[in-house]
């Protein structure tokens, strides 16, 4: 099989100009991932800077309220910068430094990945530029300011739909213009090889920690793992260590936006078809002629028309299942977790909470669900208030 | 090798214009093909508009938006080519991202290319490593798969050139398509490196917008490709663009052969 493939998915569908850069990256990654000093440095950054390991919190009130399976929350919201994105960014920026790169560029949707990249760039003394759709800049204004505060330049992207997909387009264009001193810190398990593999490797610590934590607390593996899916990095990070444990069911939660019967959703696996875009063969929301669709979700982080190729393979091979959660359900879950557990989830993560609300009551009390709480919801408070009709601005 | 493509490098330095099909509409595209064919174009690159053209700069991105807004689809494009092919024998190649081919169906797409008289395809997001995706199907329908070489290709040049067909599309500089004020000597070194390992004709594109640049690049390449400068004229003149574009093509073909 060719490199960088997950079944038939993945690959390296990018302009010739970028091939040298991804080959150089793959070589460096293959070298450093086995390098003891690189591993030690990264481990120390995870522990001393990001705050790992993140907690596995028993959601007692939620469990009692739903009356079924026992629910645990993997607390990626407690990481520095407030989401799982820091795991990947620390890995890639450390690698970029080892490769002698002076500058990093990144795309961002909700702004979580952009903030994480700006943060680590500040820490490591790298120049940083972030591309963010104009629409997303408006709905996540606070994150834009946060990135600037951290010393990054933020470029609002005004092409296409002005959201995450266009931010990826623009970051790729920027990379083709300046490759020598620049590393593209791709934020999810997507894009051309080696990104899907490398990003998953930097995120798989989530699942590895869950395994150790749940074995300590419960003496056994969980029955269900739940995570929201846009590009799919927090889900891949949670799932990866459990792929061979076939008794553990893996469930990804996509954004159904205003409903699967409308045009306004971002449910790639429920509604998309196979295609080749952003460097990878995978599933995409598109029309009959291969034009990429405008997608929609209340969550800027899930508002993406594709999904990482390893998820495509987990889906095609039926190892994982994927469900779609609407805006309304996610907004309800956002409030639900806040009141039940005193934890405000990111609106992205609220999609996984919403599915747990449906799933847990159907299961017996001896079952265990682990939900990846991939980020905290402070960034979403004002937008959710507006969604509910309150005139609240940051 | 496709005979029509080979013949386009027989009349001095080749001039290869690019237009986005359906910008501003397919009737204008057809008129442009006819006019360019009789005003010095040796081969025409026809862009299939795409929602997310990651190798294009703003000028061609906007053309894609206009073309899609005018209702252009792959099916209508094949119909347009079939009609224009009855009137001209100029070599025609499609420039398209891979997704429109993959989603349409590789067999269906390439058999339609053959049926309507397309000579080759250029797929900017399908590098050497993924060429297997289309190479076999292209071969069975006699469609040349045109490869690209970039300033970063370096040690990859020999490998890419060894499987090239039609001509090699040499990317003049880093970055996306668009007009450039200055272009350095990278392109000359790149073309020399290609020439030392391959006898496939080399055409240079990306950033060539005026007669001086045409003359400069034609001095060491077999042809030049001009896109954004033409697309800019189309944006400016809309449905009245045929005459200004024809005059521009004529002047660029002359400049390319001044050396």
């Amino acid at each position: 099989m060719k490199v960088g493939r997950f079944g038939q998915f993945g690959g390296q569908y990018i302009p010739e100009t970028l091939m040298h850069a991804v080959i150089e990256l793959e070589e460096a990654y293959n070298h450093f991932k086995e390098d003891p000093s690189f591993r030690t440095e990264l481990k120390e950054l995870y522990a001393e800077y990001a705050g790992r390991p993140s907690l596995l919190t028993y959601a007692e009130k939620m469990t009692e309220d739903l009356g079924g399976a026992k629910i645990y929350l993997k607390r990626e919201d407690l990481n520095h910068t407030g989401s799982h994105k820091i795991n990947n960014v620390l890995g890639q920026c450390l690698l970029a430094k080892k490769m002698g790169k002076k500058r990093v560029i990144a795309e961002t949707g909700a702004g979580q990945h952009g903030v994480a990249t700006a943060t680590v760039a500040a820490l490591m003394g790298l120049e940083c530029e972030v591309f963010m759709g104009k629409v997303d800049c408006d709905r996540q204004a606070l994150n834009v300011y946060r990135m600037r505060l951290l010393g990054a330049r933020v470029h609002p992207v005004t092409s296409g739909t002005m959201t995450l997909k266009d931010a990826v387009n623009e970051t790729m264009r920027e990379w083709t213009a300046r490759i020598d001193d620049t590393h593209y810190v791709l934020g999810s398990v997507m894009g051309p090889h080696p990104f899907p593999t490398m990003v998953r490797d930097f995120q798989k610590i989530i699942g590895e920690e869950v395994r150790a934590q749940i074995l300590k607390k419960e003496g056994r593996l969980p029955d269900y793992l739940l995570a929201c899916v846009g590009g799919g990095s927090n889900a891949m990070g949670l799932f990866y260590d459990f792929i061979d444990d076939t008794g553990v069911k893996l469930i990804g939660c996509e954004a159904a936006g205003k409903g699967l019967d409308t045009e306004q959703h971002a449910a790639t696996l429920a509604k998309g078809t196979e295609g080749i875009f952003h460097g990878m063969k995978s599933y995409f929301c598109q029309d009959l002629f291969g034009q990429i669709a405008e997608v929609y979700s209340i969550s800027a982080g899930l508002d993406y028309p594709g999904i990482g190729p390893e998820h495509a393979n987990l889906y095609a091979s039926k190892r994982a299942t994927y469900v779609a959660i609407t805006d309304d359900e996610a907004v309800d879950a956002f409030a639900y977790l806040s009141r039940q557990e005193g934890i405000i989830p990111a609106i992205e993560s609220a999609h996984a909470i919403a599915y747990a609300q449906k799933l847990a009551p159907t299961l017996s009390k001896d079952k265990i669900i682990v939900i990846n709480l991939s980020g905290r919801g402070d960034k979403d408070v004002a937008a959710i208030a507006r969604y509910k009709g309150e005139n609240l601005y940051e | 090798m496709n005979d029509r493509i080979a013949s386009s490098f027989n009349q001095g330095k080749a001039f290869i214009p690019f237009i986005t099909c359906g910008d501003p509409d397919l009737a204008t595209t057809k008129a442009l093909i006819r006019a360019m064919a009789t005003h010095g174009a040796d081969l025409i690159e026809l862009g299939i508009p795409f929602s997310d053209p990651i190798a294009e700069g703003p000028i061609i991105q906007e053309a894609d938006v206009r073309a899609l807004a005018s209702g252009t689809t792959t099916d209508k494009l094949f119909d347009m080519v079939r009609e224009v092919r009855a009137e001209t024998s100029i070599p025609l190649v499609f420039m398209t991202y891979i997704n429109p081919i993959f989603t349409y169906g590789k067999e269906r797409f390439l058999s339609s290319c053959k049926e309507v008289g397309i000579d080759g395809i250029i797929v900017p997001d399908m590098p050497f490593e993924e060429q297997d995706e289309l190479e076999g199907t292209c071969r069975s329908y006699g469609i040349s798969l045109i490869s690209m070489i970039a300033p970063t290709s370096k040690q990859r040049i020999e490998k890419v050139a060894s499987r090239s067909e039609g001509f090699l599309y040499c990317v003049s500089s880093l970055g996306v398509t668009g007009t450039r004020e200055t272009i350095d000597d990278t392109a000359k070194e790149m073309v020399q490196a290609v020439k030392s390992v391959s006898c496939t004709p080399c055409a240079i594109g990306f950033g060539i917008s005026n007669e001086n640049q045409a003359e400069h690049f034609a001095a060491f390449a077999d042809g030049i490709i001009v896109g954004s400068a033409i697309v800019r004229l189309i944006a400016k003149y809309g449905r009245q663009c045929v005459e200004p574009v024809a005059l521009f093509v004529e002047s660029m073909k002359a400049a390319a052969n001044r050396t």
Side-chain angles (χ1 to χ4, degrees):
Chain A
M1 198 195 302
K2 283 185 167 183
V3 292
R5 292 276 173 173
F6 306 93
Q8 62 184 306
F9 302 103
Q12 289 180 307
Y13 299 89
I14 48 170
E16 171 63 21
T17 307
L18 289 178
M19 279 310 298
H20 173 73
V22 298
I23 291 167
E24 178 192 52
L25 179 62
E26 182 183 7
E27 285 169 1
Y29 177 60
N30 286 339
H31 171 75
F32 283 109
K33 76 176 179 190
E34 309 296 343
D35 178 52
S37 74
F38 181 86
R39 292 162 68 112
T40 308
E41 255 180 276
L42 185 58
K43 216 170 145 188
E44 190 163 317
L45 285 165
Y46 280 168
E48 303 295 326
Y49 190 70
R52 302 209 71 89
S54 68
L55 301 177
L56 184 69
T57 302
Y58 173 44
E60 191 176 356
K61 280 182 67 198
M62 186 175 169
T63 300
E64 278 169 19
D65 181 61
L66 297 173
K70 214 166 169 182
I71 297 170
Y72 283 90
L73 304 172
K74 180 58 173 167
R75 302 292 305 282
E76 292 298 299
D77 61 315
L78 296 177
N79 295 339
H80 182 40
T81 72
S83 82
H84 71 292
K85 293 291 185 188
I86 193 87
N87 305 330
N88 168 43
V89 171
L90 281 168
Q92 285 199 48
C93 285
L94 187 62
L95 183 63
K97 272 209 84 118
K98 302 277 181 201
M99 292 171 75
K101 303 288 178 187
K102 303 270 182 275
R103 174 176 176 258
V104 289
I105 55 174
E107 86 293 342
T108 196
Q112 296 301 90
H113 176 59
V115 167
T117 307
T119 300
V120 177
L123 174 73
M124 295 188 184
L126 294 160
E127 200 184 316
C128 177
E129 295 188 35
V130 179
F131 294 82
M132 185 170 183
K134 170 99 182 22
V135 170
D136 293 337
C137 288
D138 294 342
R139 59 181 164 181
Q140 299 286 350
L142 205 57
N143 270 342
V144 174
Y145 189 78
R146 207 167 268 147
M147 287 183 268
R148 289 186 172 138
L149 184 69
L150 290 158
R153 277 181 65 191
V154 181
H155 302 276
V157 174
T158 55
S159 58
T161 56
M162 305 190 205
T163 59
L164 181 53
K165 129 185 119 74
D166 310 284
V168 174
N169 292 347
E170 216 48 50
T171 319
M172 282 194 175
R173 288 180 185 125
E174 173 63 24
W175 205 23
T176 61
R178 192 168 156 188
I179 295 172
D180 273 0
D181 68 343
T182 300
H183 173 67
Y184 178 6
V185 183
L186 223 157
S188 193
V189 286
M190 45 157 288
H193 176 70
F195 286 105
T197 299
M198 182 175 71
V199 176
R200 177 256 281 154
D201 285 352
F202 288 139
Q203 292 292 2
K204 71 181 179 187
I205 190 166
I206 301 172
E208 290 168 353
E209 286 178 6
V210 165
R211 177 185 293 273
Q213 289 164 324
I214 201 78
L215 285 175
K216 197 166 167 202
K217 286 177 199 281
E218 295 282 348
R220 70 180 190 89
L221 296 182
D223 300 289
Y224 293 86
L225 298 179
L226 265 55
C228 64
V229 183
S233 70
N234 91 79
M236 236 19 264
L238 176 65
F239 294 172
Y240 187 67
D241 201 53
F242 294 92
I243 288 177
D244 292 335
D245 299 297
T246 48
V248 181
K249 295 185 179 64
L250 313 176
I251 303 177
C253 305
E254 303 189 298
K258 294 186 179 167
L260 294 183
D261 51 346
T262 72
E263 300 275 288
Q264 291 179 290
H265 62 77
T268 308
L269 292 175
K271 303 291 277 187
T273 51
E274 266 183 60
I276 302 174
F277 181 52
H278 279 166
M280 57 185 174
K281 186 179 281 183
S282 187
Y283 290 90
F284 298 94
C285 294
Q286 57 180 331
D287 73 8
L288 291 172
F289 296 106
Q291 305 294 345
I292 303 300
E294 271 192 46
V295 291
Y296 163 83
S297 164
I298 187 171
S299 148
L302 304 183
D303 197 353
Y304 180 71
I307 188 166
E310 196 165 11
H311 281 295
N313 192 42
L314 289 175
Y315 169 77
S317 65
K318 298 191 163 59
R319 173 64 188 95
T321 51
Y322 295 82
V323 296
I325 297 296
T326 64
D327 281 2
D328 285 344
E329 290 170 330
V331 168
D332 286 347
F334 181 82
Y336 178 80
L337 193 72
S338 301
R339 293 210 186 140
Q340 285 292 336
E341 298 292 338
I343 297 170
I344 304 175
I347 189 64
E348 288 78 15
S349 322
H351 286 70
I353 301 292
Y355 188 65
Q357 288 179 268
K358 297 185 192 181
L359 177 67
T362 69
L363 301 173
S364 59
K365 292 187 176 181
D366 60 345
K367 298 292 183 192
I368 299 171
I369 298 174
V370 174
I371 308 168
N372 201 9
L373 198 70
S374 55
R376 67 173 178 230
D378 310 50
K379 68 182 175 62
D380 299 308
V381 172
I384 300 295
R386 291 196 295 277
Y387 183 83
K388 292 196 162 181
E390 286 178 48
N391 189 23
L392 177 65
Y393 288 86
E394 284 149 349
Chain B
M1 180 167 170
N2 180 297
D3 290 341
R4 248 188 324 231
I5 293 181
S7 72
S8 60
F9 290 88
N10 289 343
Q11 291 96 43
K13 302 289 184 174
F15 182 73
I16 303 173
F18 164 94
I19 55 174
T20 301
C21 293
D23 169 31
D25 54 40
L26 283 170
T28 309
T29 301
K30 212 154 80 174
L32 281 167
I33 294 170
R34 282 193 295 254
M36 294 193 294
T38 54
H39 285 76
D42 297 293
L43 179 154
I44 297 174
E45 212 189 298
L46 296 171
I48 298 183
F50 184 47
S51 53
D52 296 84
I54 57 153
E56 314 297 347
I59 297 173
I60 296 177
Q61 285 176 41
E62 283 159 21
D64 283 24
V65 171
R66 289 192 297 270
L68 290 172
S70 80
T72 308
T73 64
T74 312
D75 282 339
K76 292 181 188 170
L77 230 142
F78 279 128
D79 291 341
M80 182 275 293
V81 173
R82 187 183 296 111
E83 287 163 26
V84 84
R85 184 45 96 202
E87 306 167 36
T88 176
S89 60
I90 190 164
L92 298 171
V93 305
F94 274 146
M95 201 301 299
T96 173
Y97 291 84
I98 187 152
N99 200 47
I101 301 179
F102 183 82
T103 301
Y104 197 79
K106 296 182 258 189
E107 282 287 325
R108 182 175 165 223
F109 185 92
L110 288 156
S111 64
S112 300
C113 283
K114 182 186 160 103
E115 186 245 315
V116 303
I118 287 289
D119 301 290
I121 57 169
I122 304 169
V123 188
D125 58 349
M126 189 184 69
F128 178 83
E129 279 71 4
E130 302 294 351
Q131 211 163 306
D132 289 346
E133 187 76 43
L134 296 180
E135 200 174 45
T137 320
C138 280
R139 206 155 275 165
S140 47
Y141 291 102
I143 305 295
S144 295
L145 182 58
I146 291 150
S147 303
M148 299 179 95
I149 301 267
T152 48
S153 298
K154 303 202 165 113
Q155 63 275 37
R156 297 167 50 77
I157 288 178
E158 195 163 351
K159 182 163 78 171
V160 175
S162 72
R163 269 163 75 180
S164 63
E165 289 171 25
F167 65 94
L168 276 160
Y169 189 132
C170 296
V171 176
S172 72
S173 44
L174 294 179
V176 292
T177 58
T179 58
R180 311 245 201 291
E181 291 297 311
T182 53
I183 300 175
D184 60 21
D185 284 338
T186 333
K188 190 172 183 178
E189 291 157 21
M190 176 173 57
V191 171
Q192 283 165 345
V194 175
K195 291 275 173 201
S196 70
V197 295
S198 163
C199 46
T200 308
C202 288
I204 300 193
F206 279 45
I208 306 175
S209 60
N210 58 44
E211 293 181 35
N212 282 343
Q213 289 169 333
E215 209 176 320
H216 169 76
F217 285 108
F220 54 87
D222 303 304
I224 55 167
I225 304 164
V226 175
S228 296
I230 293 171
V231 170
R232 203 163 48 183
L233 288 173
I234 297 170
K236 184 173 171 191
Y237 294 101
R239 289 183 182 83
Q240 276 73 52
C241 66
V242 179
E243 197 187 333
V245 168
L247 292 174
F248 179 72
V249 168
E250 206 167 70
S251 70
M252 292 293 273
K253 169 73 179 175
N257 285 281
R258 221 169 271 153
T259 43

